[in-house]
């Protein structure tokens, strides 16, 4: 048996533009997915997942039978989550050169599904790591991050960057630009997350930005502007200037909204955070619904978000400098 866990993340800057080769800065947060793997006598895969949203639900799913999972979130989300687990298991089998190995996999996560906090990357990283170790292979972190990226790339039909998987593997703040991935030193960032209880469709949102970019030069310019903003954000991060980071986050949200990936609830939460005195606020991840991230040392933003009708839940999540962790 082997258990590994890996963190979720927020984008300080650069989601969507990173898909087109611009740099991005995701940051790992103290919300984790924990995966326990036991090998089986046969070559089947059985996955049970619990608490995959903040409210929690349970799904018993056997990937090798026609059984339908019983869940209280949409079936598409569960199927997507199981696609990631299947892909991760294939990577572990390949790494250990044991193509027919069977597993019982248990996933527990406090990262809401599909909400911009890197739930799929955390599950994939932790699953590959635990399953490979259950077969006697401990992967170095570079290989783990690369294998996790291959899974996201396949499940998301080629529309994935290395940002989520590299960040979840390494922890802390990272810079990702195409295949160039680096860890960064960062001040402790006072993240507040607002969650609208929903989820965006990453594939559709990425396709929408691609279409806008090819139709309008100014949309392509907007993507490049996000890249310029990220470069400035990197300098600001190095200086540890939280006020200026917040200003750049506000700007980044505006550019993402111009690309059509915000939503009424995300905009409402961003404004609730700003009005409460947050240093800055933006959507995080693919958008369309899900989460915003704000910076605030005080409790004011969290409280204001909890009173905002658009927000189902808000919480503080500090930067997590640990990436993948091995429990046993
Ligand atoms: C999704 O978490 C972030 C996107 O930039 C897609 C990706 O980088 O794979 C929208």
């Amino acid at each position: 048996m082997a258990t590994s866990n890996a963190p979720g993340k927020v984008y300080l800057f650069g989601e969507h533009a990173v898909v087109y080769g611009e740099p991005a800065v995701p940051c790992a947060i103290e919300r984790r997915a924990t995966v326990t793997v036991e090998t089986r006598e046969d070559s089947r895969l059985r996955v049970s997942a619990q608490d995959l949203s903040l409210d929690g639900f349970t799904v018993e799913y056997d990937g090798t039978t026609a059984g339908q999972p019983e869940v209280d979130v949409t079936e598409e989300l569960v199927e997507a989550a199981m696609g990631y687990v299947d892909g991760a298991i294939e990577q572990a089998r390949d790494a250990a050169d044991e193509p027919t190995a069977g597993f019982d996999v248990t996933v527990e996560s406090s990262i809401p599904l599909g909400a911009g906090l890197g739930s799929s990357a955390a599950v994939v990283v932790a699953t590959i790591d635990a399953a490979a170790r259950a077969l006697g292979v401990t992967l170095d972190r570079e290989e783990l991050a690369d294998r996790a990226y291959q899974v996201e790339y396949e499940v998301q039909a080629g529309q994935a960057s290395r940002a989520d998987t590299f960040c979840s593997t390494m922890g802390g703040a990272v810079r990702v630009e195409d295949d160039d991935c680096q860890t960064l030193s960062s001040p402790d960032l006072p993240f507040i997350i607002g969650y609208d209880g929903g989820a965006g469709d990453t594939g559709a949102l990425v396709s929408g930005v691609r279409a806008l970019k090819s139709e309008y030069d100014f949309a392509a310019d907007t993507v490049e502007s996000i890249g310029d903003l990220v470069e400035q954000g990197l300098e600001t991060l190095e200086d540890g200037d939280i006020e200026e980071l917040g200003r750049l986050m506000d700007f980044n949200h505006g550019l993402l909204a111009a690309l059509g990936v915000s939503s009424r609830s995300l905009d409402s939460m961003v404004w609730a955070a700003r009005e409460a005195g947050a240093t800055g606020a933006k959507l995080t991840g693919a958008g369309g619904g899900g989460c915003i991230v704000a910076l605030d040392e005080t409790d004011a933003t969290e409280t204001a978000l909890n009173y905002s009708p658009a927000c189902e839940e808000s919480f503080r999540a500090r930067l997590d400098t640990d990436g993948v962790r091995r429990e046993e």
Side-chain angles (χ1 to χ4, degrees), residues 249-265:
M249 286 169 73
D250 285 342
F251 213 121
N252 197 165
H253 182 77
L255 294 174
L256 287 165
L259 292 173
V261 298
S262 192
S263 68
R264 184 183 287 264
S265 58

Side-chain angles (χ1 to χ4, degrees), residues 28 30 32 141 170-173 186 318-323 325:
E30 292 166 324
R32 287 185 168 255
R141 295 202 302 173
M170 302 297 171
S186 160
R318 300 215 85 99
L319 181 71
D320 193 337
T321 51
D322 272 358
R325 278 193 209 133

Side-chain angles (χ1 to χ4, degrees), residues 9 11 14-19 116 152 156 159-161 163-164 202 206 285-286:
K9 61 105 222 337
Y11 273 90
E15 54 273 89
H16 282 287
V18 70
V19 175
E152 289 224 321
Q156 289 169 211
Q159 306 211 85
S161 72
D164 291 23
T202 300
V206 171

Side-chain angles (χ1 to χ4, degrees), residues 98-109:
E98 294 210 33
T100 58
F103 299 95
D104 287 329
V105 177
T106 306
V107 181
E108 290 166 90
S109 176

Side-chain angles (χ1 to χ4, degrees), residues 54-209:
L54 285 184
D55 289 338
F57 73 93
T58 305
V59 48
E60 287 283 329
Y61 175 81
D62 185 335
T64 60
T65 72
Q68 286 297 315
E70 270 190 37
V71 292
D72 61 5
V73 296
T74 67
E75 216 172 277
E76 289 82 36
L77 270 182
V78 174
E79 275 171 17
M82 294 311 142
Y84 288 108
V85 175
D86 284 350
I89 289 296
E90 276 310 312
Q91 286 292 334
R93 286 173 172 149
D94 181 65
D97 203 13
E98 294 210 33
T100 58
F103 299 95
D104 287 329
V105 177
T106 306
V107 181
E108 290 166 90
S109 176
S110 57
I111 311 167
L113 274 182
L117 299 184
S119 55
S120 59
V123 168
V124 168
V125 168
T127 304
I128 298 175
D129 192 70
R133 287 193 303 114
L135 295 175
V137 175
T138 302
L139 297 170
D140 68 42
R141 295 202 302 173
E142 278 68 26
E143 181 176 352
L144 177 59
D146 185 56
R147 286 186 178 275
Y149 165 65
Q150 301 305 333
V151 175
E152 289 224 321
Y153 187 85
E154 273 164 38
V155 177
Q156 289 169 211
Q159 306 211 85
S161 72
R162 291 181 181 272
D164 291 23
T165 41
F166 184 75
C167 183
S168 185
T169 308
M170 302 297 171
V174 304
R175 178 189 194 279
V176 172
E177 182 176 359
D178 279 327
D179 293 346
D180 180 19
C181 303
Q182 295 163 21
T183 54
L184 302 170
S185 57
S186 160
D188 187 17
L189 298 169
F191 291 130
I192 304 291
I193 313 288
Y195 174 42
D196 70 5
D201 178 339
T202 300
L205 290 152
V206 171
S207 299
V209 172

